[in-house]
């Protein structure tokens, strides 16, 4: 493995004011698919997720639950950890912002900013939304039905007047614009990049980065009356987890700044404006990419606790299966766009793309081999042009999937894979090995070999998306290796195969039949 091929992927760290839902599951699964893909592709990968535990929102939730903040954080953070495990997420680390390592890193970042003259003490007067943990200018506010002032996100705002430290964000407008210009792939997708560019071009104001009116946060070094603004605290997690401030820390040296931060579009500004500004101001390098994906709705409605339509990821996994859920979330919506969850669409994809297209292909080929080829990898004869064409399509797939995932286009990667699955189903129908069984058994063996080899290649590439089903398929064809280097190690004729079994059950309900 080449040491230069490193890949650092992060999820947002989730607030512990709520239990995990489909939106959190989505971001984490997307990161997991990428991390798995890069590992199979020979990269040295670091994958981080975790929880964001400070701030007024969490403090209020703990008070409402009648529990001390840390005890509250302990239990909700554990829910996020458990969900990651239930989804077979392969994160290497799970960070909590209440850990001592994080307090040390955040205070050190503050000191560096202060040493470089980037922080000054002033007073803050303005509107704050606790739900967004963000300050808003009067001009950004809208009016609610009763004339109350609302943040652009629809969250209520409160007037805050308190002493505060400020970060000289206004100094970073030009350096940020230059950075975006020189790194066109920093903000993805392109539409979001334009949004950020026009925000920054509109002018940046200094940012209030400390609070005094509550205490659940990291103390400001040298002035413990202040705690740090929760976003300065939270963003620092990405370097804490690599061992910052120790510049010699092996993880920091290996993985910074190769980071891809995966976030929802709601928190793009914090990641694409404030975070690189903090880093540059502290003399550190900004990350490689921030990808902002879209927003899920439920059967056409905004997902919210008050509407009672929050989708529980455990329920999805129980009802539809883990691999099916992973597949659906990454296939249904072009990554970056908003998407709607509907049971109908979920069942449709589970039945037509997984059970019919992929599942039936495997089942038809493997049961024919079990019955007619002595349950061994068949011995092929010379390949006909149509065989070469089929194998060629399967052989070209890695490059296509790699290109798609380099720009986080999960839906496109899956679409490419499915075009090969469909081509294989068309090939089997055209070649009709069930007829060849009587007329030309040698040709049947060749056709079945081509199909088994195609299935092997496809299953190696579906591993990042559907790890369990793909592993079961690879077992059933006795694949000699599992990573992408093994794509070039074809099935060995004569190898005994285990008894085939289906891995993509149909979803049998009244809904499915309707
Ligand atoms: O913002 N559709 O945490 P958070 C898609 N702690 N994704 C969704 C979603 C939906 N309906 N709802 C949530 C925070 N998400 C901060 C982050 S990072 C340094 C600090 C996902 O618990 C999406 O990734 O509010 C979104 O950005 C994230 O959850 C917000 O999680």
């Amino acid at each position: 493995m080449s040491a230069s091929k490193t890949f650092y992927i992060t999820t947002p760290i989730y607030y512990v004011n709520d239990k995990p839902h489909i939106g959190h599951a989505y971001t984490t699964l997307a990161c997991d698919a990428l991390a798995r893909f890069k590992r199979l592709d020979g990269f040295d990968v670091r994958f981080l997720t975790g929880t964001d535990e400070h701030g007024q929102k969490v403090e209020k939730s703990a008070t409402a639950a009648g529990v001390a903040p840390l005890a509250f954080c302990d239990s909700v953070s554990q829910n996020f950890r458990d969900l990651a495990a239930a989804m077979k997420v392969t994160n290497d680390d799970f960070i909590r912002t209440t850990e001592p390592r994080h307090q040390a890193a955040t205070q050190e970042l503050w000191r560096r900013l202060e040493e470089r003259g980037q922080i000054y003490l002033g007073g803050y007067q303005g509107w704050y939304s606790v739900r967004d943990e963000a300050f808003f200018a009067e001009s950004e506010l809208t009016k609610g039905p009763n004339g109350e002032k609302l943040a652009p996100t629809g969250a209520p705002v409160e007037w805050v007047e308190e002493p505060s430290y400020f970060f000289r964000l206004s100094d970073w407008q030009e350096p940020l614009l230059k950075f975006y210009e020189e790194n066109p792939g920093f903000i993805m997708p392109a539409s979001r990049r334009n949004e950020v560019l026009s925000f920054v071009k509109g002018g940046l104001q200094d940012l209030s980065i400390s609070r005094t009116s509550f205490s659940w946060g990291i103390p400001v070094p040298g002035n413990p009356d202040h705690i740090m603004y929760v976003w300065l605290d939270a963003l620092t997690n990405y370097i804490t987890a690599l061992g910052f401030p120790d510049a010699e820390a092996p993880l920091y040296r290996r993985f910074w700044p190769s980071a891809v931060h995966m976030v929802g579009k709601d928190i793009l500004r914090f990641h694409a404006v404030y975070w690189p500004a903090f880093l540059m101001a502290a003399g550190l390098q900004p990350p490689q990419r921030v990808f902002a994906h879209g927003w899920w709705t439920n059967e056409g409605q905004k997902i919210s606790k008050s509407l009672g339509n929050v989708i529980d990821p455990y329920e999805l996994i129980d009802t539809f299966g883990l691999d099916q859920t992973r597949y659906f979330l990454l296939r249904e919506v072009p990554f970056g766009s908003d998407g709607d969850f509907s049971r109908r669409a979920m069942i449709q994809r589970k039945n037509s793309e997984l059970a019919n297209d992929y599942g039936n292909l495997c089942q038809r080929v493997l049961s024919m081999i079990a019955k007619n080829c002595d349950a061994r990898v068949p011995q092929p004869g010379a390949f006909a042009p149509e065989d070469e064409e089929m194998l060629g399509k399967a052989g070209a797939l890695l490059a296509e999937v790699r290109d798609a995932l380099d720009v986080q286009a999960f839906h496109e990667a899956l679409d490419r894979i499915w075009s090969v699955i469909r081509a294989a189903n068309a090939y089997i129908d055209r070649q009709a090995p069930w007829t060849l069984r009587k007329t030309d058994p040698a040709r049947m063996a060749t056709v079945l070999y081509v199909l088994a080899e195609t299935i092997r290649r496809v299953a190696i590439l579906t591993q990042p998306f559907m790890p369990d089903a793909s592993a079961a398929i690879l077992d059933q064809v006795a694949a000699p290796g599992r990573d992408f280097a093994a794509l070039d190690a074809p099935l060995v004729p004569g190898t005994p195969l285990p008894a085939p079994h289906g891995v993509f059950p149909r979803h049998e309900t009244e809904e499915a039949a309707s």
Side-chain angles (χ1 to χ4, degrees):
M1 185 187 296
S2 146
S4 63
K5 286 173 71 178
T6 56
F7 184 69
Y8 181 33
I9 178 83
T10 66
T11 73
I13 48 170
Y14 304 111
Y15 285 128
V16 290
N17 62 311
D18 207 354
K19 56 175 198 189
H21 66 66
I22 189 178
H24 309 118
Y26 181 52
T27 320
T28 303
L29 285 177
C31 291
D32 187 54
L34 273 186
R36 287 175 181 268
F37 182 88
K38 291 286 189 182
R39 283 190 208 107
L40 291 167
D41 209 12
F43 281 71
D44 182 11
V45 172
R46 191 83 189 161
F47 172 15
L48 176 70
T49 186
T51 43
D52 187 356
E53 308 191 359
H54 291 130
Q56 215 168 345
K57 176 150 79 171
V58 171
E59 193 183 63
K60 282 190 172 174
S61 302
T63 309
V67 190
L70 188 56
F72 179 78
C73 293
D74 286 346
S75 85
V76 187
S77 177
Q78 189 60 41
N79 294 340
F80 281 93
R81 226 184 256 263
D82 293 345
L83 176 64
M87 298 190 306
K88 305 216 168 150
V89 167
T90 56
N91 54 302
D92 299 291
D93 193 357
F94 185 101
I95 191 163
R96 300 182 54 188
T97 54
T98 46
E99 290 173 70
R101 62 172 172 162
H102 181 65
Q103 169 147 342
T106 309
Q107 290 184 326
E108 178 57 24
L109 184 67
W110 181 287
R111 277 188 214 100
R112 293 198 189 179
L113 291 170
E114 205 163 33
E115 269 164 29
R116 290 166 171 258
Q118 294 294 322
I119 292 179
Y120 62 91
L121 184 60
Y124 183 78
Q125 275 197 348
W127 297 103
Y128 193 76
S129 152
V130 175
R131 199 159 90 197
D132 301 311
E133 295 283 17
F135 302 98
F136 292 101
E138 180 83 44
S139 59
E140 291 178 281
L141 303 181
T142 58
K143 277 217 164 66
N146 305 318
E148 73 279 23
K149 290 183 192 291
L150 298 177
T153 55
V157 291
E158 57 191 50
W159 183 255
V160 171
E161 255 184 68
E162 59 189 51
S164 174
Y165 286 96
F166 284 82
F167 168 65
R168 295 189 192 281
L169 182 63
S170 56
D171 285 0
W172 293 92
Q173 180 177 3
E174 288 312 315
L176 279 171
L177 290 171
K178 183 159 174 271
F179 174 71
Y180 302 145
E181 169 100 31
E182 286 169 358
N183 298 277
F186 174 65
I187 302 165
M188 298 261 296
S191 54
R192 300 270 167 230
R193 178 170 192 270
N194 297 334
E195 213 175 278
V196 172
L197 282 180
S198 56
F199 171 73
V200 175
K201 282 183 182 151
L204 295 175
Q205 295 188 347
D206 289 351
L207 183 69
S208 165
I209 53 165
S210 76
R211 304 289 308 272
T212 52
S213 53
F214 66 98
S215 60
W216 184 237
I218 297 181
V220 166
N223 190 350
D225 290 345
H226 289 247
I227 54 162
M228 290 186 209
Y229 174 40
V230 65
W231 272 101
L232 173 58
D233 163 349
L235 288 161
T236 309
N237 91 87
Y238 301 129
I239 54 175
T240 304
L242 297 181
F244 177 84
D246 178 4
E248 295 306 310
L251 291 175
Y252 189 77
R253 288 173 61 105
R254 244 159 76 205
F255 292 105
W256 197 260
S258 78
V260 173
H261 297 315
M262 191 70 84
V263 298
K265 63 180 184 178
D266 56 325
I267 55 174
L268 177 59
R269 190 181 291 183
F270 300 97
H271 284 81
V273 181
Y274 301 166
W275 180 225
F278 292 148
L279 288 165
M280 289 195 274
L284 301 168
Q285 282 181 280
Q288 189 200 322
R289 170 163 302 165
V290 177
F291 192 106
H293 65 64
W295 215 239
W296 282 93
T297 50
N298 183 3
E299 312 278 351
Q301 274 196 317
K302 184 175 178 319
I303 298 175
S304 89
K305 243 198 317 199
S306 50
L307 288 174
N309 66 348
V310 171
I311 302 172
D312 176 359
Y314 287 105
E315 199 195 310
L316 288 185
I317 297 168
D318 287 349
T319 312
F320 301 107
L322 174 60
D323 280 338
Q324 285 81 356
T325 301
R326 292 176 62 113
Y327 174 79
F328 176 80
L329 291 177
L330 295 176
R331 177 66 189 85
E332 177 71 358
V333 179
F335 201 68
S337 307
D338 292 339
D340 185 45
F341 179 87
S342 86
R343 291 178 64 86
R344 207 184 164 80
M346 170 92 214
I347 293 168
Q348 168 72 17
R349 288 201 188 269
K350 174 175 175 178
N351 284 349
S352 74
E353 288 160 24
L354 295 179
N356 289 356
D357 294 346
Y358 195 7
N360 275 351
L361 172 68
C362 298
Q363 197 57 16
R364 289 207 279 179
V365 171
L366 291 168
S367 57
M368 276 208 78
I369 292 176
K371 285 195 202 111
N372 303 300
C373 306
D374 194 23
R376 288 169 190 275
V377 174
Q379 176 68 54
F383 291 134
E386 56 269 36
D387 306 337
E388 301 279 10
E389 190 192 337
M390 185 68 250
L391 290 170
K393 280 187 182 144
L397 208 44
L398 172 62
E400 293 173 21
V401 172
R402 193 188 269 142
D403 284 352
L405 290 189
D406 274 347
V407 290
Q408 288 76 48
F410 300 96
H411 60 292
E412 231 167 84
L414 287 167
D415 191 54
R416 300 317 308 151
I417 297 174
W418 252 253
S419 75
V420 172
I421 291 174
R422 293 197 180 108
N425 277 320
Y427 169 89
I428 193 172
D429 289 343
R430 251 190 340 265
Q431 300 300 323
W434 41 87
T435 309
L436 292 170
R437 188 165 63 96
K438 299 193 191 100
T439 57
D440 189 349
R443 175 71 194 144
M444 175 199 71
T446 305
V447 166
L448 290 177
Y449 181 86
V450 168
L451 284 161
E453 184 49 20
T454 301
I455 289 171
R456 180 188 74 87
R457 286 176 168 270
V458 163
I460 286 182
L461 287 166
T462 54
Q463 291 178 99
F465 303 95
M466 296 179 287
D468 288 348
S470 309
I473 295 167
L474 290 168
D475 287 345
Q476 293 186 49
V477 294
R482 309 262 152 139
D483 63 13
F484 297 158
L487 280 168
D488 295 329
L491 293 175
V492 180
T495 310
L497 297 176
H501 60 91
V503 293
F504 291 115
R506 283 185 65 78
H507 194 80
E508 302 294 359
T509 64
E510 282 169 32
E511 283 168 275
S514 71

